[in-house]
Amino acid sequence: MANIVWHKKLRLHLDLNKDDLGHEELAGLWDTIYDMDRLHAARDVAVAERDLLCGGVCQDAGVEAPMYLRLRANGRREAVHERREDEERHVVPVSDEHKAYQDRILRAAAEGGFRGDNEVRTRVGRSWIQTDTLVEGTDGLRIGWEVQLSSAGVEGPRSVRARAAKAEKNGITPAWHTDRSDYARRNDTQWTRSDALPAQVIARIGDLRVVSGFRVLDFWQCDIRALYPCPKGVRRCGRAHATPKPRDILFDDLVRKTAAAEIVPVQFRMGTATHRFWVTGADHDRLEDLRGDDTQLPPVPEADLPGRASGNRPTCKPSVLVMPNAPAPDLGRPSTWIPAQPAPPAAETSPALTAQAHVPESRPASHRSSLTPELVALQQAADDAHQQLRQLDDPAEQAQQRQVWLKAAAAVQDAVTQYARTKNFNRYEVEKQLRHQVRHPETPPRELP
């Protein structure tokens, strides 16, 4: 089938995607041409003699490919090739990278105890759905993986949104994977993305990393101690909110956990846009609780025991930008600014697992979970300074109080860094527990690793 038809006698290109076939000045053009083609069919006129040829790929290749018209029950217009070899000319050959992804999905699913197959056709009424790789998950769950490394339509019946909606309507959870950054910013389905890699790298056994499309949800109370701005646009609404944060995950883990329903798709509305991505099942359940009642935070689920680290060599390594002749930071001098916070570590490389290797098993639990009173006092002082800043209206007073807050916050950062080094703890976890202990004293914090 093709959407561009060349009419030999009228010498016109007809675009079946448009109501007027691309010729606004010719009223009723479709009805005229379609009725004539049906008349030819009723009189057994050969397709090659109906003056309709493929005006797209076949014409570009210098081939005359006869076509006939067809009108679907839903009103969709189609032009059908007479010969199969002409139809196959429109099929884009599958790349080696595409095949490597399909084989890797099947291998990862099999390692998790799940069955799958490539190029699966699922009958849907009078038509069908073709899935690149279909994985049979738990409790009848079916994950339809679509590897999209070439151009993908935005509108029309063959667009990504239409294909994903059709699959979901018929019991297949769509999972689209790409290596193109512009697709990762689209919200027509739950896109995941890895770096552009050659086929031999994708196919080999290594830690292929998904750098976009998976999120963790940070749940917080919208009060004066909150770190995020209120999504409702007010100063502080007092309700509970969730903020998605990007997090890397291994591609093989994503395949297995989606099949096991441990990672699920979610739609998250931010402002006027609806974002689609993947989250853990626990975050999904907490988000549903929050949507049912946003006056308080949903309970925190019990943390799972850390799994063992992967023994495979990484498939791709993150690029590190090193500035030449950059001076080393002076850790001994108190800072007058708030240092940049480190990015949260990836789920596969949990800080708890990393730090645990350096902590003796005989260390008492109280040593792992307690924070010094000095740290707590410094954090409380910084929070109080920030609260006073938010209550001021005079610009001069605000500038003076901002300097007080910056110095107090810098003191907290220096103290946390020194404490983490002394105790051989993960700095990110220390800072996280300190803020939790000061700002949410009613909720027991998680123990430091």
Side-chain angles (χ1 to χ4, degrees), residues 68-312:
Y68 64 91
L69 300 179
R70 181 169 63 188
L71 187 62
R72 291 287 191 181
N74 58 2
R76 179 183 175 187
R77 304 167 180 176
E78 294 179 348
V80 185
H81 288 87
E82 180 188 25
R83 298 186 295 263
R84 179 178 293 273
E85 57 267 25
D86 294 331
E87 179 72 28
E88 292 176 350
R89 193 174 292 112
H90 290 257
V91 179
V92 179
V94 177
S95 64
D96 293 338
E97 289 77 16
H98 190 283
K99 295 177 182 177
Y101 267 117
Q102 288 183 297
D103 294 340
R104 179 145 192 164
I105 292 172
L106 291 181
R107 184 174 67 241
E111 291 175 353
F114 304 104
R115 296 185 298 108
D117 199 3
N118 291 331
E119 304 300 337
V120 179
R121 286 193 174 190
T122 304
R123 193 70 183 178
V124 178
R126 298 173 58 184
S127 66
W128 43 267
I129 300 174
Q130 180 159 337
T131 308
D132 285 345
T133 305
L134 186 65
V135 176
E136 302 288 343
T138 58
D139 299 329
L141 179 65
R142 295 189 297 171
I143 307 296
W145 284 93
E146 299 287 349
V147 180
Q148 193 68 39
L149 307 180
S150 58
S151 299
V154 180
E155 299 179 355
R158 296 296 299 166
S159 65
V160 173
R161 184 183 300 275
R163 292 168 60 187
K166 187 176 181 180
E168 190 172 7
K169 181 180 178 181
N170 292 275
I172 299 176
T173 302
W176 288 69
H177 188 74
T178 185
D179 59 7
R180 299 175 56 162
S181 58
D182 55 331
Y183 286 176
R185 292 190 292 269
R186 288 166 50 167
N187 292 316
D188 42 10
T189 188
Q190 279 81 6
W191 285 98
T192 54
R193 181 178 72 87
S194 295
D195 294 332
L197 301 169
Q200 61 270 22
V201 177
I202 299 172
R204 73 185 185 188
I205 299 177
D207 289 344
L208 177 62
R209 189 169 295 275
V210 176
V211 298
S212 176
F214 178 71
R215 303 282 190 272
V216 294
L217 297 180
D218 189 7
F219 296 87
W220 52 281
Q221 201 75 30
C222 190
D223 53 22
I224 59 175
R225 298 180 183 271
L227 298 178
Y228 303 103
C230 179
K232 297 184 179 296
V234 299
R235 187 164 185 175
R236 287 302 169 194
C237 66
R239 297 181 178 273
H241 303 298
T243 298
K245 299 188 295 184
R247 185 69 57 90
D248 289 2
I249 189 174
L250 297 182
F251 183 77
D252 294 349
D253 289 343
L254 181 64
V255 172
R256 289 188 286 264
K257 291 184 178 182
T258 52
E262 297 177 9
I263 293 180
V264 297
V266 70
Q267 296 185 20
F268 191 90
R269 190 169 184 83
M270 298 179 64
T272 59
T274 299
H275 299 267
R276 294 172 172 86
F277 45 81
W278 297 87
V279 298
T280 63
D283 276 358
H284 176 270
D285 294 340
R286 294 188 71 197
L287 182 61
E288 291 300 314
D289 293 341
L290 181 63
R291 288 170 174 172
D293 180 13
D294 59 0
T295 59
Q296 58 183 356
L297 290 176
V300 180
E302 295 183 2
D304 296 332
L305 293 178
R308 65 178 181 84
S310 171
N312 300 329

